Amino acid sequence: MQFGIFTVGDVTTDPTTGVTPTEHERIQAMVAIALKAEEVGLDVFATGEHHNPPFVPSSPTTMLGYIAAKTEKLILSTSTTLITTNDPVKIAEDYAMLQHLAGGRVDLIMGRGNTGPVYPWFGKDIREGINLAIENYALLHKLWREDFVDWQGKFRTPLQGFQSTPRPLDGVPPFVWHGSIRSPEIAEQAAYYGDGFFANNIFWPKEHYMRLIQLYRQRFEHYGHGTAAQAIVGLGGQAFMAKNSQDAVAQFRPYFDNAPVYGHGPSLEDFTEQTPLTVGSPQQVIDRYASMRESFGDYQRQLFLMDHAGLPLGTVLDQLEILGGEVVPVLRKEFAKDRPADVPEAPTHASLVAKAEAELGGKSGDVTSRVVVRDTVTGGSVGGSTGGAAKVGGSAKVGGSAFGAAAAGLSR
């Protein structure tokens, strides 16, 4: 299991003081939170991607690259990379560059986001959101695995003999999770490629996410990637803690009541009953999250949202001390109990490289892509050949579904 935190990067007034941080202060606070996450022994820090106030993380790779230089072990991820409105060519290059700078400590959660106006800002049609996610990811998947790409789709200009640079570190692309709150098509997409599925698991009752994860697991097995129990699942979550549960509720209530996302809606009591938000003692958080696999099966990643709704930096850092010092060590032991041997661990760059080597039956040099010089007149290659990047983790097998047929067509 990997445990970590994710942030949406909101700039929100602290309702208890009336103080609103500046954008600069919020950005610096996010960096401090990431560094604290590594200090207290967490595995992952993930940032969202937004292009509108009151959010600041418009350039995840810039922030994560800076954090990479200041950390040693922390896996750097995104809680959403907008696959719909970003150019997949730019995603391929930006995150491969980050992967090199971070020594492989990079993965991504692909998503469509939750801000409708972002589509026209980047020249896209929100009515095509699902189709954009499918086509753009099909191209991104190809760009990371083939040295030279010929491509023609609906939503961007064609490519001919195009090579994204730099190539993925060790010829192995960053691991991709497909994030979703409500869309079965995204669960199907994750299953088709054998990628991870990250269920946001914040706003709705667990039964909703249970259905999405069950669909993903079934389709993962259908496409031949392993058994349903071997599918790679991540969950979101939220917590606020104090030694005494009544103190936790009293401290968090004004932040909950005024939060930009769920404030002025259901009561704190209703929300904690119906969603994974847990406000109470560390033991209450342990009990709540240790029971998650009863609903979702054994899974690989648990992320917590800890810095939202105007909580001041000092409070968030104190929460991370509790999370890393009292909660996560116990959860690690609880999740390890009776965990079947065939349930995979959370993917890392090292494990993906080892898997690629095993599949190729060779050494690490076999999976490292070799650059091919292409004759720009004839289109032929000059010297060398495409390396392992074109072979490693190739396209998933097309099963008997409409999505499989569509995805195969998009991968031309």
Side-chain angles (χ1 to χ4, degrees):
M1 282 285 290
Q2 292 173 346
F3 293 91
I5 56 174
F6 68 105
T7 177
V8 294
D10 59 309
V11 178
T12 303
T13 300
D14 183 334
T16 68
T17 64
V19 173
T20 305
T22 65
E23 290 182 326
H24 176 74
E25 289 170 338
R26 186 66 172 102
I27 291 168
Q28 293 298 322
M30 291 169 67
V31 173
I33 289 165
L35 301 185
K36 188 67 172 182
E38 177 163 278
E39 177 188 324
V40 300
L42 301 181
D43 304 306
V44 184
F45 172 82
T47 175
E49 179 186 347
H50 295 275
H51 299 276
N52 57 290
F55 306 99
V56 294
S58 58
S59 181
T61 52
T62 304
M63 172 170 284
L64 295 178
Y66 182 79
I67 294 170
K70 293 179 170 292
T71 55
E72 296 179 357
K73 298 179 180 179
L74 199 64
I75 296 172
L76 308 170
S77 189
T78 56
S79 47
T80 303
T81 294
L82 297 176
I83 189 61
T84 46
T85 51
N86 282 312
D87 183 356
V89 172
K90 196 70 170 70
I91 295 176
E93 296 189 330
D94 283 352
Y95 285 91
M97 176 67 78
L98 177 61
Q99 189 191 33
H100 282 272
L101 292 173
R105 295 183 288 125
V106 174
D107 59 35
L108 303 82
I109 299 178
M110 296 293 178
R112 291 181 292 138
N114 57 8
T115 306
V118 74
Y119 285 82
W121 294 340
F122 289 89
K124 307 299 181 183
D125 185 343
I126 192 172
R127 294 169 296 183
E128 297 280 12
I130 291 290
N131 292 329
L132 280 162
I134 293 171
E135 178 174 305
N136 283 353
Y137 184 65
L139 175 54
L140 175 61
H141 190 272
K142 194 178 183 73
L143 287 166
W144 272 340
R145 289 163 173 82
E146 297 183 15
D147 285 338
F148 292 98
V149 170
D150 295 326
W151 172 267
Q152 184 169 351
K154 178 180 179 181
F155 298 110
R156 76 170 325 279
T157 53
L159 299 173
Q160 184 174 3
F162 177 79
Q163 182 178 58
S164 65
T165 59
R167 305 304 298 141
L169 178 64
D170 300 319
V172 176
F175 186 77
V176 169
W177 307 76
H178 299 258
S180 179
I181 295 176
R182 62 186 177 274
S183 303
E185 296 92 340
I186 302 305
E188 176 80 5
Q189 183 183 39
Y192 174 77
Y193 288 101
D195 294 337
F197 181 67
F198 188 87
N200 182 279
N201 198 33
I202 288 180
F203 299 114
W204 291 3
K206 65 181 180 181
E207 289 77 14
H208 169 76
Y209 296 103
M210 287 169 63
R211 289 192 291 270
L212 279 177
I213 290 173
Q214 183 181 29
L215 170 64
Y216 162 68
R217 289 186 183 279
Q218 290 173 344
R219 301 301 287 173
F220 182 94
E221 182 171 311
H222 167 80
Y223 288 118
H225 301 297
T227 67
Q230 293 172 325
I232 308 297
V233 173
L235 296 177
Q238 297 182 83
F240 186 88
M241 295 166 283
K243 183 177 181 180
N244 182 289
S245 61
Q246 288 81 8
D247 290 341
V249 172
Q251 293 169 27
F252 188 66
R253 188 181 298 279
Y255 295 98
F256 176 88
D257 288 345
N258 293 279
V261 176
Y262 43 60
H264 312 288
S267 69
L268 175 59
E269 286 73 17
D270 287 343
F271 206 83
T272 53
E273 180 182 353
Q274 297 173 19
T275 79
L277 173 63
T278 306
V279 181
S281 67
Q283 188 60 51
Q284 286 176 292
V285 174
I286 290 168
D287 293 342
R288 187 80 176 276
Y289 282 87
S291 70
M292 287 294 174
R293 64 177 179 174
E294 296 175 10
S295 301
F296 303 107
D298 288 289
Y299 60 108
Q300 282 72 26
R301 175 175 285 186
Q302 176 68 63
L303 300 184
F304 294 92
L305 177 61
M306 306 292 288
D307 69 332
H308 58 308
L311 287 166
L313 176 59
T315 300
V316 176
L317 298 181
D318 289 343
Q319 290 292 303
L320 294 182
E321 285 278 4
I322 300 171
L323 184 67
E326 301 181 41
V327 174
V328 166
V330 179
L331 286 177
R332 289 191 196 279
K333 294 178 182 178
E334 289 297 317
F335 279 101
K337 289 180 181 177
D338 302 319
R339 190 176 180 94
D342 62 342
V343 172
E345 296 181 356
T348 63
H349 183 71
S351 71
L352 295 174
V353 170
K355 180 181 178 182
E357 291 175 355
E359 290 176 350
L360 291 173
K363 299 180 180 180
S364 58
D366 294 326
V367 297
T368 302
S369 175
R370 288 188 289 143
V371 174
V372 179
V373 179
R374 175 159 291 199
D375 186 325
T376 57
V377 177
T378 66
S381 60
V382 181
S385 61
T386 56
K391 305 173 186 176
V392 174
S395 299
K397 293 179 286 185
V398 178
S401 73
F403 179 89
L410 289 172
S411 298
R412 291 194 302 271

